[in-house]
């Protein structure tokens, strides 16, 4: 039941083949089995059960709502009425919002059941979901669960077998190797074995990506069928890519940000995690549209659309050459090339295009992000809400002491940097300069799309999911600069993009690619993504052996 | 002897076929080499020294204390990184602050739509006296901390 798609689950609930209550119980049981992945900051199982009962009653009277009984999870930076909303920060550890974010309200009004709030990097600042006061999120792929270890105690050798198999698979594929590359592969195999041992002993694991890592893991591990995340520079697409699920960032202005605790107002977009592209379209249909509480949602009518099956013969796919950046892995590069060919063989026109300012986008992002963060974080003073320190010397001392405890080093660092860039003598030099570069980045996209290119095909991330031990060697800023190179230009331009898992790497981890569409043509983008998904037939993670 | 030759011949055609497939497999549309321009750090502006006065000023603006030298170093790196922006020619380019700049954004009517939520609002404050938020004395500047003495 838990490996169904959201579309199938909706269908079976509407038909009365699945009882909403039973489904909810199964999801709660799965959540308990995969608890060590640390995907949730707050579990709301009792609330979910009540919602599922209400759904079951509606099922009995055949007056169901469109998402009745569908278990979902929400990133812990969307306000939920009466349910603590923490942003994984000490600052909001006990914050109880008096209202629901519009995205949450829409999910619940359509009958969905809320299983919990998901873990993230503090205030969404990060790309690993490791900088959270609740500890890091773990990727379910290649993960050795404790319950598994208990069952397999004494069978440690299994790991070695699986890795020598990848080496022999290489040989079986007849890949011709020089002595040098053979020794490289052997060395890598040995390193991989060592890594696998660490992974199996529980001391290391693959990161989930971030900042919406908890939502990605909740969907990938079968706890729920859809989840909300937020995407400022790639925070939905990056973890979706690492966890092998679909991650959709709609056009800026399509989904309401009301009740989404802001990180960077001009870049933030609510995003959707599901197992298939069609599932993402279903949730998008129910979430989209103008919101009187968010003046940055556009007021032109939003039409729900099913994704048609298409022929891609008339389509023009652009391959932006600047997305071959230093640091891209062989594995990702090959998948990208393979996918470009796949479109071409199916009859699409595939051309190389240029987005010349791509290289500077991540630098521009770092400046704009810090500036808006410095301004947005000014609201946390410990007086009206949030953590209040025991200091009554003066207002400024109280605020500084509260913020010192309430924010981690990453948040504090971005506030300092932002205030530096915004200093009177630096305002032109950094903030205005970055906004000018932003226009050039945005125009790069417009120029390409005006030349008859329909969709851009790029990698989502430069590598597959890295190991926690490796990822945590460098600071948050360095990792963001590496990991968000392909995702944040999309936020700069406000265009929609979706990460689609494509295949498994030699190490058995998901490899994903990104499709980038044109502003307000979200359904067109998803239609192509659906076609692509049908061709690649990605093997979804099945954890049913845990139940 | 003959059998051995045959096997070799067979395997070499297989190799050849695989090579052909591999070539076919790789699209010419994706560049083979990275396309980024190397940045000559010498050409970038130098990060000015972050003296005590600047640091104290930033602390007052941020209402967060650096506490140690590591925080100052982190700021230095962020500025150094941001300086790459000066490689881009932005002569005559207007700043972009919203991707919706060409659309008229909606403004709702200036009418009260909610209220009577005193209890909801105050429940999140740690200290309340007679429905008022409480703050300690104002207009007292933040005391700077000595960065050098604390590790």
């Amino acid at each position: 039941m838990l490996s169904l798609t959201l579309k199938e689950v909706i269908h079976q609930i509407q038909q009365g083949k699945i009882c909403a209550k039973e489904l909810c119980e199964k999801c709660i049981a799965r959540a308990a089995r995969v608890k060590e992945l640390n995907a949730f900051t707050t579990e709301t199982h009792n609330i979910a059960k009540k919602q599922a009962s209400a759904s079951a009653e509606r099922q009995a009277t055949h007056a169901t709502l469109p998402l009745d009984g569908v278990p979902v999870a929400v990133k812990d930076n969307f306000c939920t009425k009466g349910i603590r909303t923490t942003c994984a920060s000490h600052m909001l550890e006990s914050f109880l919002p008096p209202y629901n974010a519009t995205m949450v309200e829409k999910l619940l009004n359509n009958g969905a059941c809320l299983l919990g709030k998901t873990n993230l990097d503090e205030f969404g600042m990060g790309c690993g979901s490791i900088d959270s006061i609740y500890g890091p999120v773990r990727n379910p792929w290649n993960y050795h669960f404790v319950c598994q270890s208990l069952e397999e105690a004494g069978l440690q050798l299994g790991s070695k077998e699986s890795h020598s198999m990848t080496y022999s698979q290489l040989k079986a594929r007849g890949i011709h190797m020089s002595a040098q590359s053979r020794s490289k592969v052997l060395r890598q195999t040995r390193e991989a074995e060592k890594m696998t041992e660490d992974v199996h002993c529980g001391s290391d694991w693959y990161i989930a990506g971030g900042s919406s890592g908890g939502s990605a893991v909740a969907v990938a591990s079968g706890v729920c069928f859809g989840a909300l995340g937020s995407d400022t520079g790639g925070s939905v697409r990056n973890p979706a890519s690492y966890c092998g699920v679909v991650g959709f960032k709609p056009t800026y202005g399509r989904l309401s940000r009301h009740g989404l605790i802001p990180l960077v107002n001009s870049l933030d977009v609510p995003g959707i995690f599901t197992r298939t592209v069609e599932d993402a379209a279903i949730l998008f249909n129910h979430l989209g549209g103008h919101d009187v509480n968010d003046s940055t949602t556009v007021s032109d009518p939003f039409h729900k659309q099913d994704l048609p099956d298409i022929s891609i013969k008339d389509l023009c796919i652009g391959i932006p050459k600047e997305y071959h950046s230093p640091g891209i892995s062989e594995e990702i590069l090959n998948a990208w090339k393979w996918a470009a060919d796949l479109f071409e063989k199916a009859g699409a026109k595939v051309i190389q295009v240029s987005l010349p300012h791509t290289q500077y986008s991540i630098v521009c992002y770092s400046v704009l992000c810090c500036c808006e963060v410095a301004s947005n974080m000014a609201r946390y003073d410990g007086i009206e809400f949030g953590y209040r320190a025991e200091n009554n010397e003066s207002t400024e001392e109280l605020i500084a002491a509260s913020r010192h405890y309430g924010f981690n080093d990453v948040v504090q660092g971005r506030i300092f940097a932002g205030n530096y860039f915004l200093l009177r003598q630096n305002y032109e030099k950094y903030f205005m300069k970055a906004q000018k570069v932003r226009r050039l980045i945005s125009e790069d996209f417009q120029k390409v799309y005006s030349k008859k290119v329909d969709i851009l095909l790029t990698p989502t991330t430069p590598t597959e999911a890295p190991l926690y031990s490796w990822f945590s060697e460098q600071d948050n800023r360095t990792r963001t600069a590496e990991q968000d190179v392909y995702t944040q230009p999309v936020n700069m331009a406000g265009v929609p993009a979706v990460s689609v898992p494509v295949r498994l790497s030699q190490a058995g981890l998901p490899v994903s690619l990104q499709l980038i569409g044109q502003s307000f043509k979200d359904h067109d983008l998803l239609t192509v993504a659906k076609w692509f998904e049908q061709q690649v037939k990605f093997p979804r993670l099945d954890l049913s052996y845990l139940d | 002897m003959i059998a051995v030759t045959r096997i070799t011949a067979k395997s070499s055609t297989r190799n050849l076929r695989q090579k052909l497939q591999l070539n076919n497999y790789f699209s010419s549309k994706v560049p083979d080499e990275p396309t980024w321009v190397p940045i000559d750090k010498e050409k970038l502006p130098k990060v000015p020294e972050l003296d005590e006065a600047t640091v104290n000023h930033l602390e007052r603006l941020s209402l967060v204390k650096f506490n140690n030298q590591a925080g100052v170093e982190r700021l230095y790196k962020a500025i150094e990184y941001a300086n790459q922006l000066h490689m881009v020619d932005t002569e005559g380019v207007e700043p972009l602050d919203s991707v919706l700049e060409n659309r008229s954004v909606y403004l709702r009517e200036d009418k009260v739509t909610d209220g009577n939520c005193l209890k909801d609002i105050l429940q999140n404050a740690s200290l309340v006296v007679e429905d008022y938020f409480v703050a300690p004395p104002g207009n007292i500047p933040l005391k700077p901390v000595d960065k050098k003495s604390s590790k």
Side-chain angles (χ1 to χ4, degrees):
Chain A
M1 204 185 277
L2 297 186
S3 51
L4 294 172
T5 67
L6 185 130
K7 189 186 174 187
E8 289 163 346
V9 149
I10 290 175
H11 188 71
Q12 299 211 13
I13 287 179
Q14 302 285 338
Q15 301 250 308
K17 286 179 187 159
I18 290 180
C19 166
K21 269 157 85 175
E22 191 196 343
L23 180 65
C24 183
E25 290 296 342
K26 287 221 158 121
C27 287
I28 290 170
R30 173 65 67 84
R33 296 296 270 180
V34 301
K35 205 174 165 70
E36 57 196 284
L37 299 174
N38 204 19
F40 289 89
T41 56
T42 306
E43 289 176 331
T44 55
H45 294 169
N46 287 335
I47 293 169
K49 280 180 196 169
K50 271 184 206 152
Q51 289 163 336
S53 298
S55 290
E57 276 169 32
R58 286 190 291 268
Q59 272 186 300
T61 59
H62 299 285
T64 49
L65 299 166
L67 297 175
D68 239 329
V70 176
V72 295
V74 171
K75 188 179 182 180
D76 204 14
N77 61 351
F78 284 93
C79 288
T80 40
K81 190 174 182 173
I83 302 167
R84 67 173 189 158
T85 299
T86 69
C87 285
S89 171
H90 285 304
M91 186 54 88
L92 293 177
E93 223 175 336
S94 53
F95 176 59
L96 287 176
Y99 67 99
N100 276 331
T102 302
M103 291 298 96
V104 173
E105 193 75 6
K106 286 197 176 191
L107 282 177
L108 301 183
N109 284 347
N110 279 301
C113 307
L114 181 67
L115 278 173
K117 305 295 294 290
T118 60
N119 206 349
L120 65 155
D121 286 303
E122 187 164 329
F123 284 103
M125 297 187 205
C127 55
S129 298
I130 68 166
D131 290 321
S132 155
I133 59 162
Y134 301 103
V137 181
R138 299 169 179 217
N139 194 319
W141 288 89
N142 282 3
Y143 186 78
H144 210 69
F145 289 89
V146 170
C147 53
Q148 241 176 313
S149 309
L150 293 174
E151 281 156 25
E152 292 169 18
L155 286 171
Q156 288 265 327
L157 282 169
S159 65
K160 278 191 183 156
E161 249 164 61
S162 65
H163 266 281
S164 49
M165 250 169 62
T166 48
Y167 179 52
S168 55
Q169 272 167 359
L170 254 179
K171 281 197 286 191
R173 286 178 194 188
I175 290 177
H176 196 71
M177 283 184 295
S178 65
Q180 199 189 357
S181 65
R182 203 177 301 135
S183 75
K184 192 177 156 201
V185 168
L186 268 172
R187 199 176 60 239
Q188 283 172 346
T189 312
R190 250 178 261 128
E191 277 170 18
E193 277 171 13
K194 166 79 179 61
M195 277 168 8
T196 318
E197 268 167 41
D198 285 345
V199 169
H200 279 215
C201 297
S203 61
D204 208 353
W205 66 89
Y206 294 95
I207 63 156
S211 63
S212 320
S215 289
V217 169
V219 173
S221 61
V223 175
C224 59
F225 294 84
L228 288 180
S230 62
D231 192 312
T232 307
S235 285
V236 164
R237 291 159 287 153
N238 171 299
S241 154
Y242 290 163
C243 295
V245 295
V246 171
F248 175 44
K249 177 216 111 66
T251 306
Y252 183 89
R254 263 296 174 232
L255 299 189
S256 169
R257 293 184 295 114
H258 174 65
L260 164 64
I261 295 173
L263 175 62
V264 185
N265 302 58
S266 76
L267 302 170
D268 291 346
V269 173
I272 297 166
F273 291 95
T274 48
R275 288 174 208 155
T276 71
V277 173
E278 254 188 324
D279 288 355
I282 292 171
L283 287 184
F284 180 59
N285 279 338
H286 290 296
L287 295 172
H290 176 64
D291 177 13
V292 286
N293 290 320
D294 176 5
S295 60
T296 59
T297 49
V298 295
S299 46
D300 43 329
F302 174 74
H303 301 290
K304 289 182 182 168
Q305 280 175 45
D306 289 333
L307 304 181
D309 289 314
I310 48 153
S311 150
I312 60 152
K313 286 216 158 47
D314 306 321
L315 216 65
C316 181
I317 306 287
I319 307 290
K321 65 174 183 186
E322 290 79 7
Y323 281 62
H324 187 159
S325 66
I328 189 171
S329 78
E330 202 64 26
E331 195 91 64
I332 304 285
L333 186 64
N334 287 344
W336 187 20
K337 289 177 173 179
W338 170 77
D341 275 7
L342 185 111
F343 274 102
E344 200 159 16
K345 281 179 194 150
K349 191 176 163 199
V350 178
I351 57 168
Q352 193 180 90
V353 297
S354 175
L355 300 169
H357 298 91
T358 302
Q359 176 176 354
Y360 300 100
S361 190
I362 186 76
V363 185
C364 177
Y365 174 78
S366 80
V367 173
L368 293 180
C369 182
C370 288
C371 292
E372 289 205 44
V373 161
S375 151
N376 265 326
M377 294 292 141
R379 78 193 65 200
Y380 301 102
D381 58 13
I383 294 172
E384 299 87 0
F385 59 92
Y387 174 78
R388 180 181 179 128
E390 301 281 330
N391 186 320
N392 281 317
E393 227 173 298
S394 73
T395 303
E396 286 196 14
E397 291 294 341
L398 167 70
I399 297 177
S402 303
R403 288 157 70 85
H404 175 64
Y405 174 78
F407 296 148
N408 69 7
D409 283 352
V410 178
V411 179
Q412 294 187 16
R414 288 200 195 181
I415 295 173
F416 286 132
N419 279 324
Y420 179 85
F421 298 139
L422 292 171
L423 286 176
R424 200 178 305 137
Q425 67 269 31
N426 293 335
Y427 194 81
E428 276 280 338
K429 198 170 150 196
Y430 292 104
F431 183 60
M432 295 290 266
K433 178 82 182 176
Q435 285 197 320
K436 287 175 186 174
V437 175
R438 182 176 178 187
R439 180 174 300 280
L440 293 172
I441 296 160
S442 177
E443 283 174 356
D444 281 354
F445 282 97
Q446 286 164 22
K447 279 179 200 155
V448 166
Y449 287 134
S450 68
K451 284 181 201 146
K452 302 255 161 26
V453 169
D454 298 295
I455 302 275
L456 296 167
L457 172 70
T458 78
T460 310
T461 44
T463 64
E464 57 196 43
L467 275 170
Y468 174 76
S469 58
W470 176 85
F471 190 85
S472 49
E473 272 169 18
Q474 294 286 334
D475 67 3
N476 182 293
R477 195 191 55 75
T478 311
R479 288 296 180 229
T480 305
E482 291 165 2
Q483 306 292 316
D484 283 352
V485 276
Y486 309 136
T487 45
Q488 45 67 39
V490 166
N491 300 72
M492 294 288 181
V495 292
V498 59
S499 175
V500 180
V502 170
R503 60 186 187 193
L504 293 180
S505 69
Q506 291 285 342
L509 294 166
V511 171
S512 304
L513 294 173
Q514 173 177 242
L515 293 166
I516 308 173
Q518 303 178 33
S519 280
F520 299 103
K521 292 188 179 175
D522 300 84
H523 283 106
D524 294 353
L525 168 69
L526 291 176
T527 302
V528 177
K530 180 183 144 189
W531 177 88
F532 182 52
E533 179 187 50
Q534 284 167 349
Q535 313 304 308
V536 299
K537 296 187 181 70
F538 177 76
R540 286 203 298 271
L541 185 66
D542 184 4
L543 296 181
S544 50
Y545 65 91
L546 290 174
D547 296 334
Chain B
M1 203 55 199
I2 299 162
V4 172
T5 331
R6 224 180 257 159
I7 289 165
T8 328
K10 217 176 178 180
S11 67
S12 71
T13 39
R14 194 172 58 198
N15 277 346
L16 188 68
R17 208 182 303 137
Q18 267 157 358
K19 268 186 193 161
L20 283 174
Q21 268 174 356
L22 277 177
N23 283 339
N24 202 8
Y25 173 87
F26 291 133
S27 166
S28 55
K29 305 301 174 351
V30 174
D32 285 321
E33 298 299 324
T35 55
W36 285 23
V37 190
I39 290 176
D40 183 1
K41 282 194 175 174
E42 296 300 311
K43 284 186 185 158
L44 297 178
K46 293 273 167 295
V47 180
E49 199 207 336
L50 297 166
D51 55 19
E52 215 180 305
T54 313
V55 168
N56 290 345
H57 185 46
L58 283 175
E59 281 182 333
R60 180 101 202 265
L61 286 172
S62 305
L63 288 176
V64 184
K65 291 179 184 176
F66 276 88
N67 287 302
N68 54 39
Q69 200 55 34
V72 182
E73 273 158 28
R74 206 175 296 132
L75 173 63
Y76 183 92
K77 278 189 184 164
I79 302 166
E80 194 181 38
Y81 186 69
N83 275 342
Q84 291 179 62
L85 278 183
H86 300 294
M87 295 292 290
V88 186
D89 179 9
T90 52
E91 194 61 44
V93 180
E94 284 295 310
L96 174 71
D97 49 28
S98 167
V99 290
L100 301 177
E101 60 179 5
N102 294 324
R103 290 176 168 256
S104 53
V105 290
Y106 167 87
L107 292 173
R108 66 190 151 111
E109 285 197 38
D110 191 11
K111 278 187 191 156
V112 177
T113 54
D114 56 8
N116 298 323
C117 47
L118 185 80
K119 226 179 100 193
D120 282 346
I121 301 297
L122 292 182
Q123 69 167 351
N124 278 305
S126 309
L127 190 59
V128 177
V129 173
E130 291 177 6
D131 293 346
Y132 282 99
F133 296 121
V134 181
N139 289 328
I140 304 169
L142 198 64
K143 285 181 294 187
V145 265
D146 183 6
K147 252 66 67 186
K148 301 225 166 65
S149 63
S150 51
K151 57 160 188 171

